[in-house]
């Protein structure tokens, strides 16, 4: 005990261990508070509406609950259809205001919790695929606790700082020979050191696990811990029969073992190399190079410390990705069976025992120097292989805030000299082109000599002489029998004066894996999966805006922070450099201020279709027989443009082309 007390005093006081531990917990708490984001943001955004339905269906999926959900879905769908018809009838003058108000109340009652029901229905689609081991529950809490497959880098660094000096301190100060010649300076000496290290590491790990559990429980609440693990879609393809709370204890146990394994590795390397800086470098490289350089499937293929320090995927099933272009399922992770996990544990324990024996033997006077030399050689070879493998696998735009963009015209853009658009004249070679307005000469907009490896999205965003487009890189080495998988998305700026290209945003391996430096990113990049469903995009100095089927995702170009703008996107979306224009509730045109993050309704404009120009808003006026009107950018009506009802229209600098609602013919009118 006296040796352990001495080691504690040396580590915690003289080597400032208490300071580092206190700093670690402060950083850890701050990280949890600042960096934690809900797994499903919509579930939190509409929590009251979501809870309204979840209280009715919580638990195992039953025929009664299925009938309730299906009936509610039909009610909401019919209410939406009837509501649209009601507004159209009212604006057409077919019903009076009193009738409109009476019926509107009924529909609003049905649609009051629609946003929450959308999340419930998405969960229902998942649960009904396997009703035996998938239950209805509020998932954000358990997802936050269990699906984080990132390395706890703060804890890893702390253990490296605390454990490396345990033996290296004596070597650096030439005290090892003196200690070994003392009464207890043989086997007991290293055993007591090892026991103390185990106690410190176990304390740090268990405290960290408890801290995260308490935080998640307070923020989200961790209820229904006895539900099957497969109730979370992250583990949906798994076959292990285990509950949510059991998984937490199992993962925590594996992580604890992983960090103890790592601590043993640090002590092992320390007694071999006998140099503090070299020991730190080797141990850090042993963990960080595979973590940042290797695929998760490869990491979990060996019984090494890193796989246990991550831990989560030992309980995950097969993982597939739908390739963006081939639409084929691509297996990127295979389930680890209980037998394989047991073999890994036994193998890892054997490795730990061997390293502990080496540590003890090295702290005896009879140590064979030939053995030291051999182990040093093996260590150098191992680290060299890791470095070689890692290296073999690696490899401010100024925008004027004033612009005009409509998602209805996302496939074309015109500048003073050129017209840029998607050329569909050859259906086997659809491409982005630019055409000289004066001569009519047409050329490819994108220079792409390797079309099999790089694909362009058929949409553009333009501003002055700059045109922006999205391209995808395909990695043929991954699943070559399926044509490869999409490995990178890039937003490119093309200067049409010089035709020089510049990458303004890039996301590597967003379909496969992309770990951030301190674990801020999700191990699966779940937050980047929306990039598979982009229907249009635009940008400003600070942000990229991706238009999805039901929302707009805003991505900070520097920090890559993602946020959602809750606006309907089923009709035209327009952007003028600051405001995003959209058709909101009751067909009223609204705009979202990207600076103040507020919504403003233009109550005078009730429309089903509109286009934004430099100075005006052109729209089909539902308050006047669907005639085409114009308004200023503040929503003040300027006047009527056409005296005939229109279904839709397009415009150029001088003329509007519209389709008549009555005879379905196209007409031109100057505005």
């Amino acid at each position: 005990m006296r040796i352990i007390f001495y080691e504690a005093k040396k580590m915690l006081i003289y080597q400032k261990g208490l300071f580092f531990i206190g700093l670690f917990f402060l950083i850890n708490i701050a990280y949890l508070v600042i960096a934690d984001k809900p797994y499903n943001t919509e579930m939190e955004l509409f929590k009251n509406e979501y809870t309204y339905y979840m209280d009715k269906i919580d638990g195992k999926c039953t025929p009664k609950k299925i009938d309730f959900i299906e009936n509610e879905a039909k009610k909401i769908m019919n209410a939406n259809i009837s509501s649209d018809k009601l507004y159209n009838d009212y604006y057409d003058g077919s019903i009076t205001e009193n009738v409109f108000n009476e019926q509107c109340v009924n529909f609003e009652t049905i649609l009051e919790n629609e946003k929450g029901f959308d999340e419930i229905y998405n969960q229902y689609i998942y649960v009904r695929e396997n009703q035996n081991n998938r239950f209805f529950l509020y998932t954000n809490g358990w997802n936050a606790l269990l699906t984080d497959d990132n390395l706890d880098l703060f804890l890893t660094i702390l253990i490296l700082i605390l454990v490396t000096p345990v033996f290296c301190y004596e070597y650096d100060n030439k005290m090892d020979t003196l200690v070994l010649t003392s009464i207890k300076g043989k086997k007991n000496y290293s055993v007591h050191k090892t026991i103390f290290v185990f106690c410190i590491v176990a304390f740090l790990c268990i405290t960290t696990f408890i801290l995260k559990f308490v935080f998640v429980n307070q923020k989200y609440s961790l209820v229904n811990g006895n539900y099957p693990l497969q109730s979370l879609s992250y583990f949906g393809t798994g076959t292990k029969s285990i509950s949510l709370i059991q998984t937490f204890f199992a993962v925590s146990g594996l992580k604890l073992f992983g960090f103890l394994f790592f601590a043993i590795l640090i002590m092992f390397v320390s007694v071999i190399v006998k140099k503090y800086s070299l020991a730190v470098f080797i141990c850090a490289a042993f963990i960080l190079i595979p973590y940042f350089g290797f695929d998760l499937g490869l990491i979990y293929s060996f019984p090494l410390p890193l796989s246990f320090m991550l831990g989560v995927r030992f309980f995950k099933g097969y993982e597939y990705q739908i390739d963006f272009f081939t639409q084929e399922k691509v297996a990127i992770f295979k389930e680890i069976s209980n037998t394989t996990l047991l073999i890994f544990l036994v193998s890892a324990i054997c490795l730990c025992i061997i390293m502990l024996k080496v540590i003890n033997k090295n702290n005896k006077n009879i140590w064979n120097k030939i053995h030291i030399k051999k182990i040093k050689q093996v260590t150098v070879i191992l680290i060299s292989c890791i470095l070689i493998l890692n290296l073999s696998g690696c490899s401010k735009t100024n925008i004027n805030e004033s612009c005009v963009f409509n998602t209805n015209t996302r496939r074309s853009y015109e500048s003073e000299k050129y017209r840029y658009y998607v050329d569909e004249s050859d259906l086997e070679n659809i491409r982005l082109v630019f055409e000289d307005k004066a001569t009519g000469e047409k050329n490819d907009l994108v220079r792409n000599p390797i079309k099999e490896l790089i694909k362009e999205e058929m949409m553009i965003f333009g501003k002055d002489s700059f045109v922006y487009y999205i391209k995808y890189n395909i990695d043929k080495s991954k699943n070559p029998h399926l044509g490869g998988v999409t490995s990178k998305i890039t937003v490119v700026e093309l200067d049409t004066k010089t035709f020089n290209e510049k990458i303004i945003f890039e996301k590597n391996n967003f379909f496969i894996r992309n770990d951030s430096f301190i674990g801020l990113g999700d191990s699966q990049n779940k937050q980047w999966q929306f990039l598979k469903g982009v229907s249009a995009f635009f940008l400003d100095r600070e942000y990229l805006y991706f238009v999805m089927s039901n929302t707009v995702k805003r991505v900070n170009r520097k920090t890559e922070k993602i946020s959602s703008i809750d606006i309907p996107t089923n009709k035209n979306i327009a952007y003028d450099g600051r405001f995003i224009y959209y058709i909101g509730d009751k067909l009223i045109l609204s705009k979202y201020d990207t600076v103040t993050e507020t919504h403003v309704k233009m109550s005078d404009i009730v429309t089903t279709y509109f286009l934004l120009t430099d100075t005006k808003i052109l729209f089909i006026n539902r308050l006047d027989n669907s005639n085409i009107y114009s308004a200023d950018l503040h929503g003040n009506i300027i006047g009527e443009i056409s005296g005939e009802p229109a279904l839709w229209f397009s415009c150029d600098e001088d003329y509007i082309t519209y389709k008549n609602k009555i005879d379905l013919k196209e007409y031109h009118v100057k505005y």
Side-chain angles (χ1 to χ4, degrees):
M1 287 299 296
R2 292 182 64 184
I3 296 177
I4 293 178
F5 176 77
Y6 165 75
E7 288 298 325
K9 187 176 181 181
K10 182 179 70 173
M11 176 189 288
L12 300 178
I13 298 176
Y14 293 119
Q15 295 174 357
K16 301 180 180 179
L18 283 176
F19 169 76
F20 289 118
I21 292 173
L23 183 63
F24 163 74
F25 283 118
L26 285 176
I27 294 175
N28 204 22
I29 293 171
Y31 172 74
L32 286 173
V33 174
I34 296 172
D36 181 72
K37 296 292 183 293
Y39 188 91
N40 186 327
T41 54
E42 281 74 18
M43 196 178 288
E44 295 301 311
L45 191 61
F46 307 107
K47 190 168 185 177
N48 292 334
E49 294 87 341
Y50 174 82
T51 305
Y52 172 80
Y53 285 106
M54 181 52 68
D55 290 341
K56 300 177 184 294
I57 64 170
D58 183 87
K60 187 176 177 61
C61 185
T62 63
K64 185 177 179 181
K65 292 177 182 177
I66 292 175
D67 291 339
F68 169 76
I69 293 172
E70 293 290 354
N71 291 333
E72 197 69 18
K74 290 178 182 177
K75 282 171 58 179
I76 290 175
M77 181 182 68
N78 292 332
N80 275 314
I81 294 172
S82 300
S83 178
D84 289 343
K85 184 178 183 303
L86 179 66
Y87 279 106
N88 283 319
D89 289 344
Y90 173 68
Y91 293 132
D92 288 337
S94 302
I95 59 175
T96 64
E97 186 173 352
N98 290 334
V99 174
F100 170 77
N101 290 332
E102 289 175 3
Q103 296 185 20
C104 195
V105 172
N106 296 329
F107 296 134
E108 288 177 353
T109 302
I110 297 173
L111 299 174
E112 182 180 4
N113 298 306
E114 180 186 6
K115 294 290 187 180
F117 182 78
D118 289 342
E119 298 305 316
I120 290 290
Y121 198 82
N122 290 335
Q123 198 169 346
Y124 162 65
I125 292 172
Y126 168 74
V127 169
R128 71 180 180 184
E129 293 177 357
N130 191 340
Q131 299 176 25
N132 293 325
N133 65 0
R134 297 180 182 180
F135 287 14
F136 290 107
L137 80 159
Y138 170 65
T139 58
N140 267 355
W142 289 107
N143 275 321
L145 187 66
L146 297 179
T147 63
D148 183 9
D149 200 15
N150 292 301
L151 176 67
D152 191 334
L153 194 59
F154 297 130
L155 182 56
T156 303
I157 293 173
L158 178 64
I159 290 175
L160 198 59
I161 291 172
L162 295 179
V163 177
T164 307
V166 168
F167 286 103
C168 286
Y169 181 82
E170 276 81 13
Y171 297 133
D172 287 346
N173 291 280
K174 310 299 182 182
M175 292 292 294
D176 53 308
T177 304
L178 179 62
V179 171
L180 289 174
T181 56
S182 63
I183 297 175
K184 295 185 178 181
K186 294 186 179 180
K187 186 164 66 175
N188 288 341
Y189 173 67
S190 60
V191 169
H192 282 82
K193 279 179 173 286
T194 303
I195 292 173
F196 176 68
V197 167
F198 282 0
C199 292
I200 286 293
V201 172
F203 167 75
L204 292 173
C205 290
I206 293 172
T207 307
T208 301
F209 302 152
I210 293 174
L211 184 65
K212 184 170 184 179
F213 185 91
V214 171
F215 172 80
V216 172
N217 188 46
Q218 288 295 318
K219 184 173 181 178
Y220 300 107
S221 80
L222 296 168
V223 295
N224 302 319
N226 59 325
Y227 285 5
L229 176 63
Q230 288 77 14
S231 299
L232 304 181
S233 59
Y234 183 88
F235 301 97
T237 57
T239 58
K240 294 180 175 64
S241 298
I242 187 172
S243 69
L244 295 167
I245 191 65
Q246 288 171 342
T247 303
F248 168 71
F249 286 119
V251 171
S252 299
L254 289 174
K255 287 185 175 182
L256 173 59
F257 174 73
F259 282 105
L260 289 173
F261 193 176
F262 179 51
I264 294 172
L265 175 67
I266 295 172
M267 292 187 290
F268 171 76
V269 173
S270 297
V271 300
I272 299 302
V273 301
K274 293 182 170 60
K275 299 287 186 182
Y276 178 84
S277 57
L278 183 58
V280 170
F281 172 77
I282 291 174
C283 294
F286 196 86
I287 297 299
L288 298 182
I289 291 177
Y291 178 65
F292 291 112
F294 295 168
D295 185 76
L296 279 170
L298 182 61
I299 291 174
Y300 279 90
S301 299
F302 300 97
L304 297 175
L306 180 58
S307 57
F308 295 103
M309 291 161 74
L310 297 174
V312 173
R313 288 186 175 237
F314 284 117
F315 299 89
K316 186 176 175 61
Y318 278 81
E319 183 180 349
Y320 301 94
Q321 292 286 4
I322 302 297
D323 185 73
F324 186 76
F325 297 103
T326 65
Q327 295 301 305
E328 297 283 349
K329 275 188 175 182
V330 179
I332 60 174
F333 187 84
K334 294 182 179 180
E335 182 176 13
I336 299 171
S337 65
N338 289 327
T339 303
T340 303
L341 177 57
L342 182 60
I343 293 172
F344 275 23
L345 281 170
V346 172
S347 302
I349 291 171
C350 290
L351 286 174
C352 289
I353 292 172
I354 292 171
M355 287 191 290
L356 288 172
K357 284 185 173 295
V358 171
I359 293 169
N360 285 333
K361 190 174 183 181
N362 192 41
N363 283 278
K364 291 183 179 180
N365 291 323
I366 59 172
W367 178 254
N368 190 334
K369 294 184 178 180
I370 297 177
H371 292 168
I372 298 178
K373 185 176 180 180
K374 288 182 178 179
I375 294 175
K376 282 183 177 180
Q377 290 174 347
V378 171
T379 304
V380 171
I381 292 171
L382 177 62
I383 299 305
S384 299
C385 290
I386 293 175
L387 288 170
I388 291 170
L389 286 171
N390 183 50
L391 292 173
S392 65
C394 297
S395 54
K396 179 172 175 181
T397 304
N398 292 321
I399 301 173
N400 192 319
E401 295 301 312
S402 176
C403 65
V404 175
F405 175 75
N406 294 275
T407 57
N408 285 344
T409 59
R410 64 187 179 277
R411 293 164 69 87
S412 64
Y413 170 70
E414 291 192 21
S415 64
E416 292 183 6
K417 186 177 180 181
Y418 296 106
R419 185 166 73 95
Y420 312 90
Y421 63 96
V422 177
D423 182 12
E424 297 180 302
S425 57
D426 182 0
L427 296 180
E428 294 183 358
N429 184 29
I430 300 175
R431 59 206 173 110
L432 298 174
V433 300
F434 68 97
E435 181 180 305
D436 192 306
K437 289 183 177 180
T439 64
E441 182 183 358
K442 183 169 62 176
N443 293 286
D444 287 344
L445 180 66
V446 181
R447 294 168 290 183
N448 182 5
I450 315 176
K451 293 188 176 181
E452 293 80 10
L453 300 180
I454 302 175
K455 302 287 184 181
E456 296 87 33
E457 189 67 84
M458 293 299 111
M459 63 180 73
I460 59 176
F461 170 70
K463 173 67 182 75
D464 295 333
S465 61
F466 293 99
V467 173
Y468 303 84
Y469 67 90
I470 297 175
K471 68 178 180 181
Y472 300 95
N473 287 53
I474 300 174
D475 186 353
K476 291 284 187 177
S477 66
K478 305 285 185 180
N479 297 84
H481 58 289
L482 295 177
V485 296
T486 308
S487 61
K488 180 169 67 175
I489 182 173
T490 307
V491 180
V492 181
E493 177 190 81
L494 177 67
D495 187 339
T496 57
K497 292 180 179 179
T498 62
F499 284 90
N500 291 328
E501 291 187 346
K502 180 166 65 174
I503 294 174
I504 63 168
F505 179 80
E506 186 174 69
K507 198 65 187 173
N508 291 307
N509 302 323
F510 75 106
F511 283 113
I512 302 171
R513 171 185 167 94
N514 182 44
D515 295 306
S516 67
F517 183 66
I518 58 172
L520 288 172
D522 187 271
S523 62
Q524 277 193 303
N525 276 319
K526 294 179 288 294
Q527 73 271 36
W528 294 105
Q529 292 304 299
F530 70 85
L531 291 173
K532 294 186 290 185
V534 176
S535 60
F537 77 100
F538 50 93
L539 53 92
D540 57 26
R541 294 177 186 271
E542 194 173 355
Y543 295 99
L544 281 161
Y545 300 86
F546 296 99
V547 181
M548 319 305 298
S549 60
N550 59 355
T551 189
V552 174
K553 294 286 188 180
R554 181 168 66 175
V555 179
N556 189 298
R557 291 165 58 180
K558 291 183 179 179
T559 66
E560 296 188 357
K561 180 181 178 181
I562 303 170
S563 58
S564 295
I565 302 175
D566 183 32
I567 59 177
T569 57
N570 56 332
K571 295 181 175 65
N572 184 41
I573 299 290
Y575 181 64
D576 67 0
R578 174 170 177 172
F579 295 98
I580 301 175
Y581 299 79
Y582 63 95
I583 298 174
D585 295 335
K586 302 180 181 179
L587 305 180
I588 296 174
L589 187 67
S590 303
K591 61 181 180 180
Y592 174 81
D593 190 334
T594 58
V595 176
T596 63
E597 300 185 355
T598 56
H599 296 262
V600 178
K601 286 187 176 182
M602 302 179 180
S603 302
D604 293 336
I605 302 179
V606 179
T607 183
T608 54
Y609 187 91
F610 77 98
L611 286 176
L612 180 70
T613 70
D614 291 327
T615 58
K616 297 177 183 178
I617 301 170
L618 308 176
F619 65 98
I620 292 176
N621 192 349
R622 293 299 289 115
L623 298 178
D624 187 13
N625 196 35
S626 295
N627 295 344
I628 299 175
Y629 272 67
S630 66
D632 62 26
L633 298 182
H634 299 290
N636 302 312
I637 303 295
I638 296 175
E640 185 181 68
I641 295 176
S642 76
E644 298 291 336
L647 286 174
W648 59 265
F649 64 89
S650 61
C651 66
D652 55 27
E653 294 180 358
D654 300 312
Y655 288 92
I656 287 178
T657 301
Y658 70 92
K659 189 169 188 176
N660 191 289
K661 192 175 183 179
I662 299 173
D663 59 17
L664 302 181
K665 294 182 179 180
E666 291 188 3
Y667 295 90
H668 303 280
V669 60
K670 192 168 185 177
Y671 74 99

